Amino acid sequence: MGRLYHHGALEYLQRLRQMKGVDDGGLRAVWTGYRQDASLLAKFKWWSNHAWSDPVAWNLIWFDLYLPAHSKVLDAAAATISRRDWDILITHFANYVQRVDGVPCTFDPDHFVYACYAIAPFAICARMMCPPVVYLPINIAQRVVIYTAWAVYCIRRYQHYRYTAMIKDKGKVAGLFRKAIPQLEKRVDEVIGQGHSGW
């Protein structure tokens, strides 16, 4: 399903960015139960799932998926899906469409790679022209950035495949999408056949 959202998501994002309220930064935090006074472990757990898309992308999916499901003929089926499962679905789709319009999330691994590129010239010059007391800290900083980029990438990939497996009532979720998209199987086959992975 995430691939369906990513397929043609540029037009989708441009259209929904015009909707009133989609830039509300508090909607995601309130709806997903994020608390400022939570423990560091709870905040990290929340962050590990929600840091891969910005609030705007998350809100766009909420407006396009959750609200229509509760306001149309799907209301009865949608109401039986837990809020936790909805959070997983919305977050997964938001993570999929992030960057399709050229806007990366704050913790995108590319940011750390670019930082490494920026440090590299200084590290090379310092090694050739400066004593160890100067170039060693720069080399350490460069390695920290590289390892951080790799760690963030691995965390993101792990979250991408693990998170949807946490949906408790997979049968109800599948039934909802079959009702919402009558030709779901055909559309999925088309997207896979065209090689759109979203990554």
Side-chain angles (χ1 to χ4, degrees):
M1 285 302 300
R3 295 184 183 186
L4 291 178
Y5 267 95
H6 189 272
H7 180 52
L10 177 59
E11 179 182 353
Y12 161 82
L13 280 176
Q14 291 174 338
R15 172 172 56 86
L16 291 182
R17 283 191 189 278
Q18 306 302 317
M19 293 177 60
K20 183 179 180 180
V22 294
D23 59 346
D24 179 11
L27 174 62
R28 178 177 68 169
V30 171
W31 207 85
T32 59
Y34 178 81
R35 294 170 47 196
Q36 291 289 348
D37 59 345
S39 66
L40 288 177
L41 180 61
K43 287 184 177 180
F44 178 79
K45 184 178 179 181
W46 185 93
W47 171 87
S48 67
N49 292 317
H50 296 86
W52 316 117
S53 56
D54 58 33
V56 173
W58 196 94
N59 294 349
L60 292 177
I61 303 297
W62 189 87
F63 273 93
D64 192 65
L65 178 64
Y66 179 79
L67 284 188
H70 281 74
S71 61
K72 297 183 179 179
V73 296
L74 305 178
D75 179 65
T80 64
I81 298 176
S82 70
R83 190 168 180 134
R84 169 65 173 165
D85 284 352
W86 272 114
D87 179 20
I88 293 173
L89 288 171
I90 296 169
T91 301
H92 181 69
F93 294 157
N95 293 348
Y96 240 109
V97 302
Q98 185 71 41
R99 290 195 64 177
V100 75
D101 60 343
V103 181
C105 64
T106 303
F107 293 97
D108 193 293
D110 286 355
H111 291 318
F112 300 99
V113 174
Y114 297 150
C116 182
Y117 290 157
I119 295 173
F122 297 101
I124 294 171
C125 292
R127 179 172 286 276
M128 293 189 303
M129 302 170 57
C130 301
V133 70
V134 175
Y135 72 74
L136 285 180
I138 297 177
N139 287 346
I140 292 172
Q142 189 176 28
R143 284 165 175 74
V144 167
V145 172
I146 291 173
Y147 296 146
T148 301
W150 179 246
V152 169
Y153 175 80
C154 291
I155 292 172
R156 182 174 185 177
R157 295 294 290 182
Y158 174 75
Q159 187 274 345
H160 174 71
Y161 292 107
R162 176 194 62 86
Y163 199 41
T164 50
M166 297 173 63
I167 294 176
K168 290 185 177 180
D169 203 331
K170 298 177 176 63
K172 290 182 179 178
V173 171
L176 176 67
F177 281 112
R178 286 194 184 95
K179 182 180 287 189
I181 310 173
Q183 296 183 337
L184 176 61
E185 291 82 0
K186 181 179 179 181
R187 292 187 60 184
V188 169
D189 290 341
E190 290 176 354
V191 171
I192 293 176
Q194 293 172 6
H196 295 277
S197 66
W199 286 82

